[in-house]
């Protein structure tokens, strides 16, 4: 590996602010000198005639005469009222240039007289010319700043890249789990940075740009830092939003600055996080796009093409929106290698949990494999948060180790929401919620090919008063039509239970979220999954597209009105069929529904094993007294916007 060169000495970041500080201090001093005599000095303006009258009445105690401005000021012996104003100290402009005759009158009345030196003509001139001098000086200062390479307008063009020293890498591949394929792709880059001669001997050329694509929280930034840590090379990290500023041209200057620093420190890695903030498709949007962002993107394209082969500068970027990136950015020669960092599977989740659990003391009853199987759909960041929440709960309860109950409570908090123990329900609300959730749970057990029931509770979590949660035994990559139809039946199980037990006139708004989920799923079955015999195995885009033309906005409909009506008819047919099936199942098993609701009212939370025992007629163990909750009537109305939910 070539010896690392020392980074160039940068200009102190406080150079421009020091100049501005000096200019501000000088401006403050000049303003003070010019206007030090301007303000309320307690003198009242009176006319020369009024002053003469006071002088004849021997009411002038002392006088101060300014010969240059022919102005007289002073004090009266006795306060007097002039024009409804009480005057004690006065100021008068003499109606003649030479104050000598008036001075003689003051001497005749034996009034003490003192002289006053005026500001002078130069001060008057300065007061008129100073604003123009300051404006011109400030404009010259701005011009000089903008001429210095075209990169610094008040230092806006300077890059704020963070460099990790090669001698102290703090992240390696041992800290990354659940992305084995991505790590294998990136190991080639590490080997090239460590021993580029082996690749050059075979004429191999490493890709100039590597784009990490994946959902949020899957570890894209962590992977980029791990590459730098494994290769022991400088690491320049910056967000895509840091390039876009108010002034046009600043982002392009920052791109040039970043790549210049990278070439000086080669071999190194340049990492741009959230690339879609600066790499969006050009010309999109109302008005033709964003000039500053597009200029920055153009400069980024030029810098990528400007790389010479095997310079040792690797560009890594991350995004979760590859669909909005400009096609020129993704073509070969720029970001010509795409590494997918997907959601971790069961094995990946277990490895991620083991990495984060190394820093906390675990109890003997903690099984990370079981915890990984019970946390489908969680990304690496979610799993790190899960371990941290479990540790916080254990510390809050005064424990020395983190046990299985802490992880169970942390999982419920992340998946279901925070348990709202302060929300007190009336007995009628508890009974209705119990039957609603019992309907969901019973249908989940009765319908085949569904994910197994995990737990059902009527303890409020988040915005939901009750929750029925199902967890898959293994990760699913595709879903059958029978599985999706069963999900629809489960979604309607809560409303059907309310209707069968309390009557159609007493149904509540608690099933609003269930209906929304069922309608969205049925629409996708018809328009995206091709699971409707009437519509057929095609994908139908129902969205109305807005086309921004030069002078008008046009609307384009992708489907006809007849097809839209057919889609609505099929959605109604699928949802009503699921509703009828849920009704038939619960009518057949009404005794099990009543038993489950009674168990929920007694225990509030039932596990999968307890639900199966209730359905089988097996008595449950007695409830421990400390687990009982008090439910008294409250004046607060229940939150019915999201009263019940299903997984």
């Amino acid at each position: 590996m070539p010896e690392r060169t020392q980074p160039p000495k940068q200009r102190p970041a406080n150079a421009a602010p020091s100049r501005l500080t000096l200019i501000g201090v000088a401006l403050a001093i000049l303003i003070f000198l010019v206007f030090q005599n301007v303000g309320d000095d307690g003198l009242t303006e009176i006319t020369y005639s009024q002053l003469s009258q006071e002088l004849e009445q021997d009411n002038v105690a002392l006088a101060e005469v300014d010969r240059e401005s022919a102005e007289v000021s002073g004090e009266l012996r006795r306060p007097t009222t002039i024009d409804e104003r009480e005057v004690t100290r006065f100021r008068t402009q003499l109606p003649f240039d030479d104050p000598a005759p008036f001075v003689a009158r003051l001497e005749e009345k034996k009034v003490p007289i003192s002289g006053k030196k005026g500001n002078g003509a130069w001060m008057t001139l300065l007061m008129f010319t100073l604003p123009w001098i300051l404006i011109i000086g400030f404009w010259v200062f701005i011009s000089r700043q903008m001429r210095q390479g075209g990169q610094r307008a008040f230092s806006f063009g300077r890059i704020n890249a963070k460099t990790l020293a090669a001698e102290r890498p703090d992240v390696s591949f041992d800290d990354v789990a659940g992305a084995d394929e991505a790590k294998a792709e990136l190991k080639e880059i590490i080997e090239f940075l460590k021993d580029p001669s082996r690749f050059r001997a075979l004429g191999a050329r490493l890709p100039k740009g590597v784009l990490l694509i994946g959902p949020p929280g899957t570890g894209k930034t962590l992977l980029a830092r791990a590459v730098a840590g494994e290769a022991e090379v400088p690491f320049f990290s910056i967000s895509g939003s840091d390039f876009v500023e108010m002034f046009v041209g600043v982002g392009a200057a920052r791109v040039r600055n970043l790549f210049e620093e990278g070439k000086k420190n080669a071999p190194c890695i340049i990492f741009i996080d959230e690339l879609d903030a600066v790499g969006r498709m050009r010309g999109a949007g109302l008005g033709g796009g964003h000039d500053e962002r597009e200029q920055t993107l153009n400069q980024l394209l030029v810098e990528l093409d400007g790389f010479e082969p095997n310079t040792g500068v690797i560009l890594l970027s991350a995004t979760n929106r590859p669909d909005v990136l400009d096609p020129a950015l993704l073509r070969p020669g720029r970001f010509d290698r795409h590494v997918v960092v997907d959601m971790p599977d069961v094995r990946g989740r277990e490895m991620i949990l083991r990495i984060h659990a190394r820093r906390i003391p675990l109890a003997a009853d903690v099984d990370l494999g079981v915890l990984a199987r019970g946390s489908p759909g969680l990304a690496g960041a979610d799993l790190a948060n899960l371990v941290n929440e479990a540790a916080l709960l254990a510390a809050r309860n005064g424990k020395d180790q983190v046990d299985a109950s802490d992880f169970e409570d942390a999982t419920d908090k992340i998946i279901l929401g925070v348990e709202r123990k302060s929300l007190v329900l009336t007995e009628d609300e508890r009974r209705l919620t119990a039957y609603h959730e019992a309907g969901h749970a019973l249908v989940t057990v009765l319908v085949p090919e569904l994910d197994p029931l995990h737990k059902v509770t009527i303890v409020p979590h988040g915005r939901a008063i009750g929750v029925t949660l199902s967890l898959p035994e293994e990760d699913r990559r595709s879903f059958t039509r029978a599985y999706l139809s069963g999900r629809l039946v489960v979604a309607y199980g809560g409303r059907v239970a309310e209707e069968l037990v309390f009557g159609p006139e007493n149904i509540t708004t608690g099933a609003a979220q269930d209906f929304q989920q069922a309608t969205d799923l049925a629409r996708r079955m018809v328009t995206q999954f091709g699971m409707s015999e009437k519509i057929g195995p095609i994908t139908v885009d129902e969205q109305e597209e807005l086309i921004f033309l030069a002078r008008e906005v046009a609307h384009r409909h992708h489907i006809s009105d007849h097809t839209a009506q057919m889609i609505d008819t099929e959605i109604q047919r699928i949802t009503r069929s699921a509703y009828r099936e849920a009704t038939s199942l619960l009518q057949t098993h009404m005794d099990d529904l009543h038993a489950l609701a009674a168990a929920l009212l007694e225990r509030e939370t039932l596990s999968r094993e307890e639900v199966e025992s209730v359905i089988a007629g097996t008595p449950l163990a007695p409830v421990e007294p400390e687990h009982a909750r008090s439910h008294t009537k409250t004046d607060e109305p229940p939150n019915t916007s999201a009263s019940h939910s299903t997984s």
Side-chain angles (χ1 to χ4, degrees):
M1 183 179 71
E3 185 178 352
R4 181 189 174 191
T5 59
Q6 294 294 331
K9 295 183 178 180
Q10 297 183 353
R11 180 183 176 185
N14 59 353
S18 298
R19 292 185 180 181
L20 291 177
T21 302
L22 293 176
I23 292 177
V25 171
L27 178 61
I29 293 175
L30 288 175
I31 292 177
F32 175 76
L33 292 176
V34 173
F35 300 104
Q36 60 177 341
N37 294 325
V38 179
D40 186 10
D41 50 7
L43 300 177
T44 304
E45 291 283 350
I46 63 176
T47 64
Y48 175 72
S49 300
Q50 293 168 342
L51 178 59
S52 297
Q53 184 179 356
E54 297 296 329
L55 184 61
E56 292 298 331
Q57 295 177 359
D58 198 18
N59 194 28
V60 179
L62 57 88
E64 185 179 47
V65 181
D66 187 347
R67 298 182 61 87
E68 294 184 1
S69 62
E71 184 180 83
V72 179
S73 59
E75 295 183 5
L76 300 178
R77 297 182 186 275
R78 301 175 303 277
T80 184
T81 301
I82 300 176
D83 297 336
E84 298 181 355
R85 296 176 299 170
E86 184 176 350
V87 180
T88 302
R89 303 179 63 195
F90 65 89
R91 177 171 50 228
T92 301
Q93 183 69 41
L94 299 178
F96 35 79
D97 295 335
D98 186 8
F102 188 76
V103 172
R105 292 182 59 189
L106 292 174
E107 291 176 347
E108 181 181 351
K109 294 293 184 179
K110 297 181 180 182
V111 176
I113 305 173
S114 62
K116 180 180 179 182
K117 187 176 181 181
N119 291 331
W122 68 272
M123 185 60 69
T124 303
L125 179 63
L126 182 61
M127 292 178 62
F128 283 103
T129 58
L130 180 61
W132 294 102
I133 294 175
L134 294 176
I135 292 175
I136 295 174
F138 190 71
W139 179 258
V140 171
F141 172 74
I142 295 296
S143 301
R144 287 185 177 181
Q145 290 293 318
M146 298 184 66
R147 283 200 303 268
Q148 291 179 357
Q151 298 183 8
R152 293 186 299 272
F154 287 104
S155 300
F156 291 147
R158 300 184 62 182
I159 201 68
N160 293 322
K162 295 172 287 186
T163 307
L164 301 181
E167 295 81 10
R168 299 178 61 185
D170 57 351
V171 180
S172 65
F173 275 170
D174 293 336
D175 301 313
V176 183
D180 296 337
E181 294 80 5
K183 289 164 64 174
E185 289 276 344
L186 296 174
K187 281 182 179 179
E188 183 179 292
I189 297 175
I190 298 173
E191 295 174 358
F192 176 84
L193 292 173
K194 287 185 174 180
D195 186 14
S197 59
R198 179 162 60 94
F199 292 85
R200 292 171 182 169
L202 298 176
R205 180 181 62 85
L206 202 67
K208 297 178 181 179
V210 178
L211 183 62
L212 304 177
I213 303 173
T218 51
K220 300 182 291 295
T221 303
L222 185 64
L223 270 174
R225 294 185 181 276
V227 171
E230 291 284 346
E232 298 182 353
V233 295
F235 181 73
F236 293 89
S237 174
I238 192 170
S239 174
S241 60
D242 291 335
F243 291 110
V244 182
E245 291 285 352
M246 178 178 63
F247 301 100
V248 177
V250 174
R254 289 185 172 180
V255 172
R256 289 191 296 268
N257 190 306
L258 176 62
F259 281 90
E260 287 174 2
E261 292 296 323
K263 293 175 183 178
K264 292 176 184 177
N265 290 273
C268 71
I269 290 177
I270 296 177
F271 177 64
I272 302 178
D273 199 6
E274 303 297 342
L275 182 64
D276 52 280
V278 67
R280 284 180 176 268
M281 187 178 303
R282 290 169 290 183
L286 184 62
H290 190 284
D291 290 339
E292 165 64 1
R293 187 181 67 238
E294 292 187 2
Q295 287 195 18
T296 305
L297 175 58
N298 291 335
Q299 185 63 42
L300 181 61
L301 297 175
V302 171
E303 293 293 339
L304 282 171
D305 268 345
F307 275 171
E308 297 179 359
N310 301 322
T311 57
V313 179
I314 306 298
L315 178 62
L316 294 180
S317 290
T319 182
N320 53 14
R321 294 292 308 278
D323 54 308
V324 302
L325 296 179
D326 194 278
L329 199 60
L330 304 178
R331 73 162 177 81
R334 286 169 178 158
F335 283 103
D336 43 13
R337 175 169 295 189
H338 301 167
V339 178
V340 178
V341 186
D342 208 348
M343 302 291 286
D345 54 11
V346 175
R347 178 174 172 273
R349 291 197 298 272
E350 183 177 354
M351 295 175 62
I352 293 174
L353 289 172
R354 294 191 183 280
I355 289 177
H356 293 291
R358 292 182 304 191
R359 296 184 288 269
I360 63 174
L362 295 179
D365 61 347
V366 176
D367 189 344
L368 296 180
V370 174
L371 188 61
R373 289 192 297 272
S375 55
L378 297 186
D382 299 322
L383 296 173
N385 186 34
L386 172 63
V387 175
N388 184 61
E389 287 290 344
L392 291 176
L393 290 173
R396 190 182 306 163
N397 296 326
K399 300 179 181 179
D400 296 331
Q401 291 181 325
V402 184
D403 55 26
S405 63
D406 298 321
F407 279 102
E408 179 72 16
D409 294 339
T411 303
D412 291 344
K413 182 178 180 180
I414 293 176
I415 297 179
L416 305 181
V418 180
E419 182 177 342
R420 301 169 61 190
K421 297 181 179 180
S422 61
L423 181 61
V424 181
L425 305 179
T426 64
E427 286 300 327
D428 291 339
E429 291 168 346
R430 291 186 68 245
R431 186 166 180 266
L432 189 144
T433 305
Y435 273 99
H436 185 104
E437 300 305 328
H440 286 309
L442 184 57
V443 173
T444 302
V445 174
L446 296 177
V447 174
E449 297 189 13
L450 289 180
D451 297 328
L453 177 70
H454 179 64
K455 69 164 53 177
V456 55
T457 178
I458 59 173
V459 178
H461 287 77
R463 298 179 59 189
I465 294 180
V467 178
T468 302
L469 177 63
S470 298
L471 293 179
E473 294 180 341
E474 57 185 11
D475 293 329
R476 293 179 179 266
R477 294 290 181 259
S478 60
F479 303 93
T480 64
R481 182 175 179 178
Y483 174 83
L484 297 179
S485 299
R487 288 286 302 272
L488 292 177
V489 178
V490 172
Y492 290 122
R495 166 56 69 82
V496 171
E498 292 182 20
E499 185 175 354
L500 292 177
V501 176
F502 301 100
E505 66 280 359
N506 292 320
I507 58 176
T508 67
T509 59
Q513 187 177 1
D514 299 330
F515 290 165
Q516 180 180 357
Q517 293 177 354
T519 304
D520 292 341
L521 179 56
R523 183 174 297 276
R524 295 178 65 187
M525 291 174 63
V526 174
T527 61
Q528 298 180 21
F529 304 150
M531 295 181 178
S532 169
E533 295 83 357
K534 191 173 183 180
I535 300 298
I538 61 174
T539 298
V540 181
D541 188 2
E542 298 180 277
Q543 301 298 324
E544 181 181 350
E545 181 181 359
L546 295 180
I547 309 170
F548 296 101
L549 303 177
R551 296 185 178 181
E552 62 180 354
V553 180
H555 296 263
R556 176 186 296 171
H557 297 271
H558 295 277
I559 60 174
S560 64
D561 295 337
H562 177 66
T563 304
Q565 185 178 0
M566 290 174 59
I567 292 174
D568 293 339
T569 303
E570 281 296 287
I571 293 174
Q572 289 183 355
R573 182 188 64 82
I574 293 175
T575 55
R576 290 178 178 176
S577 175
Y579 195 91
R580 288 193 298 268
E581 184 176 351
T583 303
S584 175
L585 285 174
L586 293 182
Q587 285 177 339
T588 306
H589 298 82
M590 282 297 295
D591 294 338
D592 295 333
L593 179 63
H594 290 303
L596 275 179
L600 281 174
L601 288 173
E602 179 185 3
R603 296 174 176 263
E604 295 190 335
T605 300
L606 298 176
S607 65
R608 172 185 175 182
E609 293 77 11
E610 291 174 332
V611 170
E612 292 176 348
S613 298
V614 171
I615 296 176
T618 304
L620 301 178
V623 180
E624 298 181 7
E626 61 267 19
H627 291 164
R629 284 167 41 122
S630 61
H631 297 275
T632 57
K633 184 174 179 61
T634 177
D635 293 333
E636 292 186 8
N639 181 6
T640 58
S641 59
S643 299
H644 314 286
S645 65
T646 58
S647 63

